Amino acid sequence: DVPPLLTLQIHNCLMIYYFIRGLLTQGMAHVRMAAELVRRRGLRFCPQRIDLWDPLQEPRAEDEELVCALSHLLYICVSATLVLGWPSDLGPEYEEEFRSVTVRASNIQNHAFDDR
């Protein structure tokens, strides 16, 4: 009954907690569970909704949260591959999709010159 986005965020928090405590095995278990959840539920950076990355429209908060949670998981998977030599629990298709994520700079533009 728990929404998959919330479950993914919980796994992300727990993996960081275990990594900080030096418990790599438990942290990587949450990485694997999060990746399995993402694949099983079909969570993607680029959902089928065509308007998601329309620069003229503000994205929904849930869509932004999903992209942030997936980005965090992808970062951990890539880091584990580079640092520990472990294969990524997400496939290369997630790295490809990540490249298509549009960065919205509206907040940066609005606050860039506030100190004048």
Side-chain angles (χ1 to χ4, degrees), residues 11-78:
H11 284 304
N12 283 346
C13 290
L14 288 171
M15 69 179 73
I16 293 302
Y17 169 79
Y18 285 119
F19 290 151
I20 289 172
R21 306 262 313 165
L23 303 169
L24 291 179
T25 304
Q26 290 89 337
M28 287 309 293
H30 282 282
V31 172
R32 283 188 294 281
M33 287 187 279
E36 194 268 317
L37 169 79
V38 165
R39 286 191 304 275
R40 186 179 72 242
R41 292 298 193 105
L43 301 177
R44 309 298 292 201
F45 283 108
C46 301
Q48 299 301 321
R49 289 194 19 248
I50 190 100
D51 65 326
L52 179 60
W53 302 125
D54 183 351
L56 301 177
Q57 294 184 11
E58 194 70 26
R60 295 181 337 177
E62 184 177 320
D63 292 333
E64 286 185 320
E65 284 184 42
L66 176 61
V67 168
C68 289
L70 285 173
S71 298
H72 182 264
L73 178 61
L74 180 62
Y75 172 79
I76 295 297
C77 288
V78 169

Side-chain angles (χ1 to χ4, degrees), residues 3-6 32 37 40 44-45 48 74 78 86-87 96 108-109 113 115-116:
L5 176 57
L6 179 60
R32 283 188 294 281
L37 169 79
R40 186 179 72 242
R44 309 298 292 201
F45 283 108
Q48 299 301 321
L74 180 62
V78 169
W86 292 350
E96 288 296 321
I108 295 170
Q109 292 171 354
F113 298 105
D115 293 335
R116 282 197 256 169

